[in-house]
Amino acid sequence: MASSTNNALGVFLRDRRMRLDPASFGYSTSRRRTPGLRREEVAQRANISATWYTWLEQGRGGAPSADVVERIATGMMMTEPEREHLYFLALGHSPEVRYNHSEAITPRLQRVLDAMPVSPAIIRTATWDVVAWNRAAATIMTDYGALPKEDRNILRLMFSSARIQAAQEDWMRIARFVVGSFRADAARAGAGQEIRQLVEELSAMSPLFATLWSDNEVVGHGSGVKRLHHPDLGKLELEFSTFAVEGRQDLVMMIYSPANEDVEQRMRDFLMSA
């Protein structure tokens, strides 16, 4: 049998198996001499032979296939970080990206947005649906709460709203940048199937979007400067930064900060009076 020093996969599987509660999986807890699930129970849930699973824990039989690794991860109800670690131990690489769309965010994450009273901040998915925002974003940029859920998509708003188009200082540059970033985000999150219908809709609605999409341009969306023409505040120069949400590869936080003291003061006064 392989030692623990060269059988990291087996040690990890055994550790996770012994942490599982048999009752939560519908198994009897009587006549168990050790905690957790039995090897044959894990094998049953993963639809593999008990002998093959035992060999994996013992470091025998060679590397499993990606399909077996996925079935074990599913059978043991591993978290996403546990699943990713299992893939690295078994195959030496991360699992194939799969898109898990969820509009739910934690109250803690909403409090992070709300803690920025002057800087508009939103959280969007890899398909650029806005799922959370703070008061500054709703007041100065777009009141997403007043829109139907299906219309809270940045691409749909940008290519259908004359108001939003007029607010951009360099509309064509922004449009090209957004489309390229959208393409990169969707591909990175494995959301190719999810964006197909949206792309078809936007292409039919906007010849410009259709042209930009056919260019196949891909760009990053880490940080930059956004210049807006606000109907009440005039010209606003905002620095934007994007941040990945830990544990949620489908979500990105975008923060727009005033680029100078004058812009900050005008925005602060406007928000106080709104």
Side-chain angles (χ1 to χ4, degrees):
M1 182 183 300
S3 67
S4 60
T5 57
N6 58 14
N7 185 28
L9 172 61
V11 171
F12 180 72
L13 287 173
R14 182 175 183 273
D15 176 78
R16 288 301 177 272
R17 173 173 62 82
M18 296 185 70
R19 294 187 186 199
L20 299 176
D21 178 15
S24 66
F25 290 86
Y27 296 116
S28 171
T29 57
S30 62
R31 292 187 175 184
R32 290 181 182 267
R33 292 177 293 179
T34 57
L37 296 186
R38 299 186 177 105
R39 285 170 174 165
E40 56 267 27
E41 291 168 342
V42 172
Q44 180 185 48
R45 289 183 54 81
N47 195 26
I48 60 177
S49 75
T51 299
W52 175 230
Y53 178 78
T54 299
W55 284 358
L56 286 178
E57 282 201 5
Q58 293 175 347
R60 302 160 55 194
S65 66
D67 178 62
V68 168
V69 173
E70 186 63 34
R71 280 189 273 166
I72 291 174
T74 302
M76 296 177 75
M77 297 181 66
M78 290 186 177
T79 64
E80 193 60 30
E82 289 172 341
R83 172 177 172 265
E84 184 172 355
H85 187 62
L86 177 65
Y87 266 80
F88 272 110
L89 292 178
L91 304 174
H93 59 77
S94 59
E96 182 179 349
V97 177
R98 59 182 184 183
Y99 183 58
N100 295 316
H101 173 65
S102 173
E103 295 186 353
I105 67 163
T106 63
R108 177 178 297 178
L109 197 52
Q110 182 63 55
R111 287 194 291 270
V112 172
L113 298 181
D114 295 338
M116 294 177 278
V118 181
S119 297
I122 64 171
I123 293 177
R124 60 167 175 78
T125 67
T127 57
W128 286 50
D129 292 315
V130 177
V131 295
W133 55 90
N134 62 6
R135 180 175 178 270
T139 304
I140 293 177
M141 300 180 74
T142 298
D143 186 0
Y144 295 100
L147 298 175
K149 185 178 296 186
E150 61 272 14
D151 290 339
R152 298 172 190 168
N153 179 275
I154 294 175
L155 273 294
R156 188 176 283 117
L157 286 170
M158 287 198 65
F159 286 93
S160 66
S161 171
R163 177 186 66 84
I164 290 179
Q165 292 175 13
Q168 314 299 319
E169 183 173 87
D170 188 347
W171 160 244
M172 182 59 71
R173 181 183 63 84
I174 295 296
R176 184 178 300 278
F177 180 75
V178 166
V179 171
S181 299
F182 168 68
R183 184 194 303 275
D185 284 351
R188 187 182 303 113
Q193 293 295 325
E194 285 75 12
I195 69 170
R196 182 172 300 173
Q197 182 176 347
L198 177 60
V199 168
E200 291 177 354
E201 173 194 333
L202 292 173
S203 297
M205 177 184 68
S206 169
L208 173 59
F209 176 86
T211 298
L212 295 177
W213 186 256
S214 66
D215 286 344
N216 286 301
E217 188 171 348
V218 178
V219 298
H221 195 248
S223 60
V225 176
K226 187 179 186 70
R227 296 177 177 86
L228 295 176
H229 294 282
H230 192 274
D232 297 307
L233 293 170
K235 184 177 179 180
L236 296 178
E237 186 170 331
L238 305 173
E239 298 172 340
F240 68 84
S241 300
T242 59
F243 303 90
V245 177
E246 181 67 25
R248 290 291 303 275
Q249 67 176 9
D250 58 316
L251 297 182
V252 171
M253 179 184 294
M254 300 183 65
I255 301 174
Y256 297 86
S257 302
N260 55 60
E261 293 183 0
D262 173 65
V263 172
E264 179 180 358
Q265 191 59 55
R266 283 190 284 133
M267 290 173 60
R268 189 180 299 276
D269 292 343
F270 182 76
L271 288 165
M272 289 181 63
S273 63

